[in-house]
Amino acid sequence: MTGVNEMRREFIPLSIPNFGIEEERNVLETIRTEQVSPNGTFVSAFEKKLGTYAKVPYVVACQSGTAGLHLAFLALGIERGSEVIVPTLTFIAAANAVRYVGAEPIFMDCDDFLNIDADKVQDFCERECFFDGEKLINKKTHAVVRAILPVHIFGNLANMERIMEIAQNYNLKVVEDATEAIGCYYMNGKYSGRFAGTIGDVGVYSFNVNKIITSGGGGAVLTTNELLARRCKFYSTQAKEDALRFVHGAIGYNYRMGNIQAAIAVAQLDKLETFIQIKKNNYEAYQSRGIKLFPFQKNIRSNYWFYSCITTQRDNLIEELKKNHIQSRPIWTLCHLQKPYLRNQNYYIEKASKYHAIVVNIPSSTNMSLDDIDAVSESLKDFLDIVNI
Ligand SMILES: Cc1ncc(COP(=O)(O)O)c(C=O)c1O
């Protein structure tokens, strides 16, 4: 621990793990009991614990959030040649998972909380497609639009009430990319009390190293549908139908979470509520130093995962922070501008381009000290006149 702290005095990272004796003890147990495969007891314990926490009956632990998104599309039977509505302002994994099953993403704009714009999704379905009572058909490509993939960005939540309504009206499946949103839930409306990732047909969490809780790498698929859960598990375990004779019923994947990852994840999940409180306190500590941060929605319980500020001098600010040994980053390059997707349809991308140019993520680790927050705030000070929303 001293080593890490010494390093952090010289460098303040964006978002790093926060481990303690509990993770160490669990990992030691996997080694001492020689239970390190996906059949180990921590994997099923983690699935059970996460199901209880998120109030869903079925959880399938897997290797990563990306694997979870792929499993979701496989389980839902999203066919080659069909289309899925995906936000352009997100990590590329969502679009890639659509491609993994041979479908094509249609890129959508974001709203003022950086989440998929539900109004534009509605507009797109209404104006650019026709619905024959069963299928939504894209007038331009003649492909069937099969699903919507809302992504909950940075600790804010997409408008699931609208998304689910649109999905119902047009017979679309919904896969929630809740990779960043574990611990977030709605506090009013139809889904009051429901956690991110538990409203659509399938939801996906990530436990990679920069997430609020981490297992090094890892993910989980959540659903209330037993058949979908069984399919996710089937595809994640090489589609094995007979474990003795190695009979495989389809093309499967080696996506199951391992026991060492699960051992860490179990200990981390116990700390999730504490981490959310720390994130909230640190967010408020920045604000109390005069740093106006991008807001978290008032009508949700946020997990305060990733802090952002707004600046018209994005690249200068990133450079200034780097000079002061502080890690920061701009938003991901928008998906519709990424090489593999240049030919894909996109629908009036406006706000995503605007926010991409002015949002900078700043350090938000749960183990950062008040000295760290002072140091980051000090570096942001010269930009304060423009760090305003
Ligand atoms: C929005 C979003 N989607 C998908 C992923 C993919 O998760 P993983 O890195 O666990 O594959 C991430 C995390 O990196 C993410 O932030």
Side-chain angles (χ1 to χ4, degrees), residues 30 34-47 59-63 219 233 236-238 240 253-263:
T30 67
E34 297 176 338
Q35 276 197 17
V36 291
S37 84
N39 296 324
T41 52
F42 280 112
V43 180
S44 47
F46 178 59
E47 289 175 333
V59 174
V60 178
C62 56
Q63 293 274 349
K233 191 161 177 188
S236 75
T237 51
Q238 303 283 23
K240 203 182 276 176
Y253 299 84
N254 183 8
Y255 278 170
R256 190 88 172 121
M257 183 182 269
N259 206 42
I260 301 174
Q261 288 170 298

Side-chain angles (χ1 to χ4, degrees), residues 63-69 89-94 149 151-154 177-180 204-211 216-220 305 329 332:
Q63 293 274 349
S64 66
T66 309
L69 291 166
L89 190 154
T90 190
F91 182 52
I92 200 166
L149 192 154
V151 185
H152 306 291
I153 300 283
F154 296 160
D177 179 338
T179 46
E180 303 181 352
V204 178
Y205 290 158
S206 164
F207 308 106
N208 83 13
V209 283
N210 73 5
K211 296 297 179 282
W305 174 58
R329 71 175 207 204
W332 315 275

